[in-house]
Amino acid sequence: MRRTEWILAGALSAEIAVFAAIAPNFLSIANGFEVVRATVELGLLAIALTPVIVSGGIDVSVGAMMGLSAVIFGASVTDWHLPLAMAVAAALAAGAAGGTLNAILVARLDVPPLIVTLGSMSLFRGIAEGLTGAAVNYTGFPRGFLAFGQGYLGGVIPAQVPLFVAIFAGYVVLLHRSTAGRAVYAIGFGAAGARYAGVDVRRRLASLYVLTALVASVAAIVYVAHLGQARSDAGTGYELDAIAAVVLGGTSVFGGRGSLWGTLLGLGAISVLRNGFQLAAWPSELAGMMTGGLLLVTMALDRVRMGTRADTRIVPEEFTVRNSQVAAICAAVIAAAVIVAGTNAWLVRSIGPTVASQQGGSRSASSPSAAVPVTRPVVAMMPKAKGDPYFISCRAGAEEAARELGVELIWDGPTSLDAARQNELVENWITRRVDAIAVAVENRGGISSVLRKARERGIKVLTWDADAEPDARDFFVNQATPEGIANSLTDEAARLLGGQGQFAIITGALSAANQNEWIANIRKRLAEKYPKLVLATIRPSDDDRDKAFAETQTILRVNPAVKLVMAISAPAVPGAAEAVRQAGRTGDVKVIGLSLPNINKPYVHGDVVQAVILWNTRDLGYLTVLSAAQLVRQGFAAGASSIEAGRLGKIEIRGSEIVLGTPLLMNKANIDRYDF
């Protein structure tokens, strides 16, 4: 190995040593293989990108190609009823076609690869969203296929690992043991020089881009088998993580230098960092911060090392690392350690128990379903998106219940709507052997398989805010019935419009199961009671205020007959209200929706928003943790119709649903009474 690879190997060893000491169940064979399982899709992309970057190129379309191939595979199996082999062939054909497009533009027309692949990234993602309407999620794949992504060989090794090893070995031969690989390095040193040396530069580059897209399609098939779902946003953000792994592994962004072994080490460093942070119940965003910091240091040192030679590409394969450069890398690692230590200290002060006490208070790791009472249960609770004000309010209630009941609460989740990230976190919580998992489900079909796995391991599983498949959880903590939510919204819209006219809905994600259920009940209410009230259009906001603002602006221009905007996502209500206010339409366009009172008070008092309908979000978080604690400690009586829920009093149980209650209607007259 080169010296930089030895340094990276040392950093990886240090990560393993630190997390082995502080993260429950980190240093186990099972967790090691789970890290590998979670890394396979990303690892395939990183492997394929290594020779591309060595050649001096880049391909940022691989994540979008994953999404397109996943959708084509899902449609082939579910809609077109093709055999699995033909569905796989269709997905690979899509990869070959996309790779050929990139190859023609980069190798034949000499368009800069960054520009080409940025364009094809938008093209591939747009086609995938067009095929699915950005809403269809293909699930229900055969068990034999899902076993490829979720099963084990010999009960230990994840089934997709041999495929990863085979592709890695093939690329090692290609890049490091063949004349084609030497040609790739020559092109990276200098394409003009390689041409003079007799290398067919165009053909070599074209083959790299086609092969990269094919491997991205293979990664898509592994992704679908792993998560049990195929949707258009599969692979979102994977391209950046894969490039980070390649560059962190020592491959020069200027081309001409790099190795697959370094990429493997870079991939391991990133994956172990994320896994360790999650098992230690530390904020997972810090893993991204540390990875980004190390990546920037690596690139800066690469530039310093190359100096003026970066322009000529005439550099030796081996190089000398100066003491100052080694010191800079060590300083970056030490700085990262300081960040971790500081964060741990902050967590100790804000949450209370240290990691050591967490381990001491947990039940025996060898018997997750033991009958011994759990005095301090560990409840892992996941929102759909941590930055959403709705879920921030829920967290306050969850932490209140945790303090009252002596529960250790782990709160973590994706920063934006990301079903794959939810699955990854649940897998890590299973490894950590928490007592209960509570998930606000982003994708019903995608997460149910991993929640079933948690139940099989003796972990109590609840869903809240949005449900999974009934057999994948013990109870669903339901904020209100879908009928109650839909009827409250529809009745208020009818009152404001006098029972007739057009209105539009701004939803969260088009694939959100709970919001789609609300919309279905809104349509039902319209048909039964308000036939003259017309739903003109439904537009997504992806739980983003700015996107809700833009979508509302479009609705006001395209559908001038719309007289009411109904936003059913917390950030979407103020976003829609701001669009109406700026358009000067507050006199003739009403705004109502499901949201938090605190972020809407200025618009309510300004007569832009007429009504906010919502349950008490703090109470929802409180009830979820309380239910999880009771389920772990003593369970619920068979056939129970209610539970005692602390300050909430008696809460109704309907079958396997724990129902918080009817939603609140907040308007100008009463909204100041509520503070959440």
Side-chain angles (χ1 to χ4, degrees), residues 124-145:
F124 299 157
R125 190 70 72 189
I127 293 173
E129 292 175 348
L131 290 173
T132 62
V136 177
N137 178 37
Y138 296 105
T139 56
F141 297 101
R143 285 187 174 273
F145 171 71

Side-chain angles (χ1 to χ4, degrees), residues 382-409:
M382 187 190 306
K384 288 182 182 177
K386 287 199 292 187
D388 189 325
Y390 173 94
F391 291 108
I392 292 172
S393 177
C394 292
R395 180 178 184 176
E399 291 174 340
E400 177 191 352
R403 288 191 298 269
E404 284 184 10
L405 301 170
V407 168
E408 180 188 330
L409 177 66

Side-chain angles (χ1 to χ4, degrees), residues 198-442:
V199 174
D200 189 342
V201 173
R202 290 186 173 182
R203 183 168 66 87
R204 297 298 185 191
L205 288 179
S207 63
L208 287 182
Y209 284 94
V210 172
L211 194 56
T212 300
L214 280 171
V215 173
S217 296
V218 173
I221 295 167
V222 175
Y223 177 96
V224 175
H226 181 193
L227 300 181
Q229 61 173 348
R231 49 186 290 177
S232 61
D233 63 355
T236 300
Y238 278 41
E239 61 280 342
L240 299 181
D241 289 340
I243 293 169
V246 174
V247 176
L248 190 60
T251 298
S252 174
V253 293
F254 304 107
R257 192 185 67 254
S259 78
L260 287 161
W261 300 106
T263 294
L264 198 62
L265 287 170
L267 188 67
I270 292 173
S271 301
V272 167
L273 199 63
R274 289 178 176 173
N275 175 261
F277 269 70
Q278 290 163 8
L279 291 183
W282 290 356
S284 53
E285 293 82 359
L286 283 180
M289 290 170 55
M290 292 175 63
T291 301
L294 288 173
L295 181 60
L296 291 174
V297 169
T298 301
M299 294 178 66
L301 290 178
D302 183 44
R303 180 66 185 180
V304 169
R305 180 171 56 241
M306 299 264 309
T308 58
R309 291 177 296 178
D311 298 324
T312 63
R313 299 292 196 272
I314 303 174
V315 294
E317 173 64 22
E318 298 296 332
F319 55 88
T320 301
V321 180
R322 300 186 184 92
N323 290 338
S324 61
Q325 295 168 350
V326 175
I329 293 177
C330 293
V333 175
I334 293 170
V338 170
I339 292 174
V340 172
T343 304
N344 192 30
W346 173 77
L347 285 172
V348 168
R349 289 194 299 270
S350 61
I351 298 177
T354 64
V355 174
S357 68
Q358 293 169 6
Q359 292 174 316
S362 300
R363 68 194 186 291
S364 170
S366 61
S367 55
S369 57
V372 178
V374 180
T375 57
R376 184 173 172 76
V378 180
V379 176
M381 189 170 176
M382 187 190 306
K384 288 182 182 177
K386 287 199 292 187
D388 189 325
Y390 173 94
F391 291 108
I392 292 172
S393 177
C394 292
R395 180 178 184 176
E399 291 174 340
E400 177 191 352
R403 288 191 298 269
E404 284 184 10
L405 301 170
V407 168
E408 180 188 330
L409 177 66
I410 300 172
W411 176 276
D412 202 359
T415 54
S416 59
L417 301 180
D418 188 341
R421 177 84 171 123
Q422 286 199 325
N423 282 44
E424 179 186 341
L425 280 167
V426 173
E427 290 277 11
N428 285 322
W429 287 340
I430 293 172
T431 300
R432 195 181 192 273
R433 297 190 180 118
V434 300
D435 296 290
I437 294 173
V439 181
V441 174
E442 161 57 18

Side-chain angles (χ1 to χ4, degrees), residues 91-117:
L92 293 177
T100 301
L101 175 63
N102 285 340
I104 291 172
L105 293 172
V106 172
R108 296 296 174 185
L109 301 181
D110 293 324
V111 182
L114 179 61
I115 302 301
V116 169
T117 56

